[in-house]
Amino acid sequence: MNALLYGLVVLIWGTTWIALKWQLGEVPIALSIAYRFGLAAAVLFAWLLWRRQLVLPRGRARLWVLAQGLCLFCLNFVCFLNASRHIASGLVAVVFSSAALWNALLARVVHGRVVAPQVLGGGTLGLAGLLLLFWPEITAHQAGAATLAGLAWALGGTLCFSTGNLLSAALQGQGLKPVQTNAWGMAVGTVLLVGYAAVAGVPWAFDTSPRYVGALLYLAIPGSVIGFTAYLTLVGRLGPERAAYSTVVFPVVALNVSAWAEGYRWTAPALVGLVLVMAGNVLVFRRKPATPASAPAPAASPTAPSPRPPNRA
């Protein structure tokens, strides 16, 4: 089951990049994100009502759901879209792919969880592979104030994403399912984005073209309803650090989509990078060999007579 969820996350989120690009245009970014998560929240609420599983978070869980909505379904998308204004999209993807390491480090700081060496090693290999994949784009970008601003935005988005992962793990620890917390979290993100648009005077617009509507439906249903539910289920099952390794793998899928739709050309360094990413994936999921249990000492026979001390009389 974990392999199926992991494959869904990689394939779906690896193909959402082209849909995001198709949404850029006359509709303001904040509204496009609000349309996406508003529709996704409506679908999730309808599903929960039909299944009679709609639960209103209470107590501390309510605050955590609000924080998750702010981090996962609002701020991180604002950060990444702002980063894309300053630096190349490949560089943004490289920064975002560090989520596996940030998840492990935040889990260490917040929960005191020990970071497994294979997780750090696999994440490092994956990052090295992505650097090779995106090296031409990285080296072509001129360093400067805009680059530093873009890196700051991208790092902020990654930290928001990792914080949302830890919040989801905590909510699942309280017995709430990802599909339940996602519905409320996406609703929170939608309200925040619409409120920002109203206060900032963002002009209301909607694009009725087949490309925009198709991209919106794909981002809302597979990209959000299925993708986030599958991913956060992995967070609960595998832990935030292992689940987030999908963020290292799905840019490879995005590159293959780009090769088909945008003319991306594979190079020798890119192929080496792909091998490193896959090697890191294997390392992260490698299980430690089971330690054989020591054989128990044979029990004394109940019929054997107890030794008698010698007669010294």
Side-chain angles (χ1 to χ4, degrees), residues 4-128:
L4 174 62
L5 293 173
Y6 188 81
L8 280 175
V9 172
V10 171
L11 291 175
I12 291 174
W13 282 2
T15 52
T16 53
W17 295 98
I18 190 66
L20 284 172
K21 183 174 182 179
W22 288 346
Q23 282 207 308
L24 296 177
E26 63 184 67
V27 181
I29 288 173
L31 292 181
S32 286
I33 300 173
Y35 295 152
R36 169 185 179 177
F37 288 120
L39 177 57
V43 171
L44 286 176
F45 279 128
W47 168 261
L48 291 171
L49 285 171
W50 180 62
R51 300 280 295 181
R52 297 182 180 179
Q53 295 179 351
L54 183 60
V55 176
L56 180 64
R58 300 183 182 276
R60 184 181 299 179
R62 185 175 299 178
L63 296 177
W64 288 354
V65 167
L66 291 174
Q68 179 185 347
L70 178 66
C71 293
L72 276 184
F73 308 118
C74 181
L75 285 183
N76 65 324
F77 283 93
V78 172
C79 287
F80 286 127
L81 289 170
N82 276 283
S84 299
R85 294 178 176 177
H86 299 289
I87 60 177
S89 60
L91 188 53
V92 178
V94 171
V95 178
F96 180 57
S97 67
S98 65
L101 297 178
W102 286 111
N103 278 6
L105 294 176
L106 286 177
R108 172 64 177 172
V109 172
V110 176
H111 301 299
R113 184 181 302 170
V114 177
V115 182
Q118 68 266 25
V119 172
L120 290 176
T124 302
L125 278 178
L127 288 176

Side-chain angles (χ1 to χ4, degrees), residues 44-45 47-48 53 176-184 225 228-229 232-233:
L44 286 176
F45 279 128
W47 168 261
L48 291 171
Q53 295 179 351
L176 293 172
K177 298 179 180 179
V179 66
Q180 296 168 335
T181 58
N182 283 357
W184 292 108
V225 173
F228 271 103
T229 301
L232 294 178
T233 300

Side-chain angles (χ1 to χ4, degrees), residues 167-191:
L167 289 167
S168 177
L171 288 165
Q172 292 181 61
Q174 292 194 359
L176 293 172
K177 298 179 180 179
V179 66
Q180 296 168 335
T181 58
N182 283 357
W184 292 108
M186 289 176 183
V188 168
T190 302
V191 170

